[in-house]
């Protein structure tokens, strides 16, 4: 079978290209292999530095709250005012590429797979916990590739669930799978449709699941030819529809990339930006006596610091950062 040319032109317009689409695909594959090797190398050489940083910042009060504060709109767009106080109790965030060394000494998985941990002390909203959210890089035979996850249950205290019951419905629907029943699944669908006009809590992210691609299917996709045809297209369309109807945090994979590729490696920079923002806010915020003299502040002035209403720049005036794709 002849190779398809990357471009073709008639004799009047110019010569026909000698480069085929297969040639381009081969070069792209080389870049992909190099990128994966770079991620593995980066994970190994940065591990001691991240360990030392974790030991240091554990001594700084509100470090991770200020990191979130300084991270800009890419993070703050997912944080509601009702999330703010709970997130300020954070004592630690950590990230690891759990399928490869050094996190997994004998690991041979994808360096794109990532584990993100949030550590909370006992507080008004939840019992003491470390919430470990894992994302596996998977692909299927239809050509889809991305991050998949499993819901993580937050130990909410009575009446303090910031997801307003959505997380609980996700866990009930998950436990219902395999039973032949769809009662909880239908309840979840209705709840998501009902709340479509409103923003999801940051804590909905822990209940994100994403596409359903098993490890077995992923291994088959790596070894077998790509599936094509109308039946495959219909199956993919159903999968996308299920994701839209049942995911309480559709941008779950996107946020995981932002945290692992920007928030985590640049935590010190974000902390400094967040500290500056807090200093500015404390200087510009009216005192209680001023409030009595001039009345209450506007809704925007009362908004929590983590909720940034600017677009294009973070609160420190720096250009909005772009995260690298996993």
């Amino acid at each position: 079978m002849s190779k398809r040319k990357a471009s073709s032109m008639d004799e009047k317009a110019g010569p026909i290209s000698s480069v085929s689409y297969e040639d381009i695909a081969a070069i792209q594959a080389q870049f992909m292999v190099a990128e994966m090797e770079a991620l593995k190398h980066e994970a190994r050489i940065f591990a001691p530095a991240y360990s030392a940083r974790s030991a240091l910042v554990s001594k700084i009060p509100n470090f991770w709250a200020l990191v979130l504060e300084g991270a800009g709109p890419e993070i703050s767009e997912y944080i509601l005012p009702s999330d703010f106080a709970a997130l300020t109790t954070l004592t630690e965030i950590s990230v690891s590429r759990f399928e490869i060394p050094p996190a997994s000494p004998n690991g041979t998985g994808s360096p794109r797979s990532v584990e993100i941990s949030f550590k909370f002390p006992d507080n008004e909203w939840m019992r003491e916990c470390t919430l470990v959210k894992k994302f596996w890089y998977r692909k299927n035979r239809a050509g889809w590739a991305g991050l998949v996850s499993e819901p993580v249950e937050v130990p909410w205290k009575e009446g303090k669930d910031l997801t307003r019951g959505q997380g609980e419905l996700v866990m009930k629907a998950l436990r219902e799978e395999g039973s032949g029943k769809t009662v909880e699944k239908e309840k979840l669908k209705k709840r998501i449709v009902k709340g479509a006009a409103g923003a999801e809590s940051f804590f909905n992210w822990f209940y994100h699941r994403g596409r359903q691609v098993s490890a077995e299917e992923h291994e088959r996709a790596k070894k077998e030819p790509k599936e094509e045809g109308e039946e495959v297209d219909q199956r993919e369309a159903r999968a996308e529809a299920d994701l839209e109807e049942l995911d309480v945090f559709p941008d779950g994979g996107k946020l995981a990339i932002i945290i692992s590729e920007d928030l985590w490696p640049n935590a010190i920079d974000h902390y400094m930006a967040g500290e500056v923002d807090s200093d500015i806010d404390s200087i510009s915020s009216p005192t209680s006596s001023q409030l009595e003299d001039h009345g209450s502040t506007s809704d925007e002035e009362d908004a929590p610091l983590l909720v940034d209403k600017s677009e294009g720049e973070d609160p420190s005036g720096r250009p909005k950062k772009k995260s690298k794709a996993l």
Side-chain angles (χ1 to χ4, degrees):
M1 185 171 68
S2 62
K3 291 185 177 182
R4 293 178 62 203
K5 301 302 180 182
S7 63
S8 61
M9 306 172 73
D10 58 33
E11 292 182 1
K12 293 181 180 180
I16 296 175
S17 172
S18 61
V19 178
S20 69
Y21 286 109
E22 287 81 358
D23 294 331
I24 294 174
I27 290 296
Q28 287 179 315
Q30 287 186 42
F31 274 97
M32 186 69 69
V33 171
E35 184 181 348
M36 295 304 98
E37 289 304 312
L39 278 173
K40 292 177 183 179
H41 182 65
E42 182 179 288
R44 183 174 65 255
I45 64 173
F46 275 95
Y50 283 138
S51 180
R53 187 187 70 182
S54 294
L56 175 67
V57 303
S58 66
K59 303 171 185 177
I60 303 175
N62 302 318
F63 176 82
W64 288 107
L66 286 168
V67 169
L68 292 170
E69 174 75 33
E74 287 192 328
I75 294 290
S76 65
E77 69 172 305
Y78 298 110
I79 300 174
L80 301 181
S82 54
D83 299 327
F84 173 73
L87 287 171
T88 60
T89 69
L90 257 176
T91 57
E92 185 179 354
I93 295 176
S94 62
V95 173
S96 70
R97 303 282 175 180
F98 67 93
E99 288 196 322
I100 61 171
S104 176
N106 299 315
T108 57
S110 172
R112 291 188 180 98
S113 297
V114 63
E115 177 183 286
I116 303 172
S117 300
F118 280 63
K119 187 174 182 179
F120 292 92
D122 186 78
N123 57 58
E124 179 184 341
W125 299 269
M126 67 194 83
R127 296 185 297 277
E128 181 179 358
C129 60
T130 299
L131 303 175
V132 180
K133 184 72 173 167
K134 284 189 173 184
F135 289 84
W136 291 264
Y137 178 78
R138 300 268 171 83
K139 59 182 178 180
N140 65 17
R141 290 187 60 199
W144 180 89
L147 295 175
V148 304
S149 188
E150 289 294 335
V152 175
E153 192 165 15
V154 180
W156 299 111
K157 291 184 177 179
E158 186 68 27
K160 295 295 184 179
D161 181 356
L162 294 172
T163 73
R164 295 168 296 143
Q166 287 188 337
E168 182 181 5
L169 281 175
V170 170
M171 301 310 297
K172 286 181 177 179
L174 182 63
R175 288 190 285 267
E176 188 180 62
E177 287 185 1
S179 68
K181 300 178 181 179
T182 59
V183 176
E184 301 300 335
K185 184 177 180 179
E186 293 303 318
K187 286 182 182 178
L188 179 59
K189 282 185 181 181
K190 291 178 181 178
R191 182 64 181 274
I192 290 175
V193 170
K194 184 178 179 181
E200 298 90 359
S201 165
F202 178 88
F203 289 92
N204 278 31
W205 178 70
F206 292 102
Y207 296 92
H208 163 78
R209 194 173 189 184
R211 289 286 294 265
Q212 303 300 291
V213 182
S214 67
E216 292 75 20
E217 184 176 358
H218 175 67
E219 290 302 317
R220 285 186 61 197
K222 292 195 296 183
K223 300 173 184 176
E224 299 177 11
K226 179 181 177 181
E227 289 183 322
E228 295 180 318
E230 184 177 349
E231 184 178 339
V232 175
D233 293 340
Q234 291 175 351
R235 188 176 70 227
E236 287 298 292
R238 287 196 300 271
E240 287 296 331
D242 283 345
L243 183 63
E244 185 175 334
E245 292 178 341
L246 295 169
D247 201 326
V248 295
F249 200 100
D251 284 348
K254 176 184 175 182
L255 182 56
I257 292 172
I258 293 171
I259 292 172
S260 60
E261 293 291 335
D262 180 21
L263 186 82
W264 171 248
N266 300 311
I268 296 292
D269 290 340
H270 293 316
Y271 167 75
M272 298 301 291
E275 192 173 48
V276 169
D277 293 337
S278 295
D279 289 343
I280 292 173
D281 184 79
S282 66
I283 293 171
S284 60
S285 295
T287 64
S288 59
S289 61
Q290 288 173 321
L291 288 175
E292 290 173 2
D293 291 339
H294 302 289
S296 61
T297 58
S298 68
D299 289 342
E300 184 169 327
E301 289 171 330
D302 282 339
L305 293 178
L306 284 176
V307 182
D308 176 28
K309 298 182 181 297
S310 65
E311 293 183 4
E313 289 188 349
D314 69 17
S316 66
R318 295 178 302 168
K320 180 178 178 182
K321 290 193 174 185
K322 300 295 183 182
S323 57
K324 297 185 292 181
L326 279 173

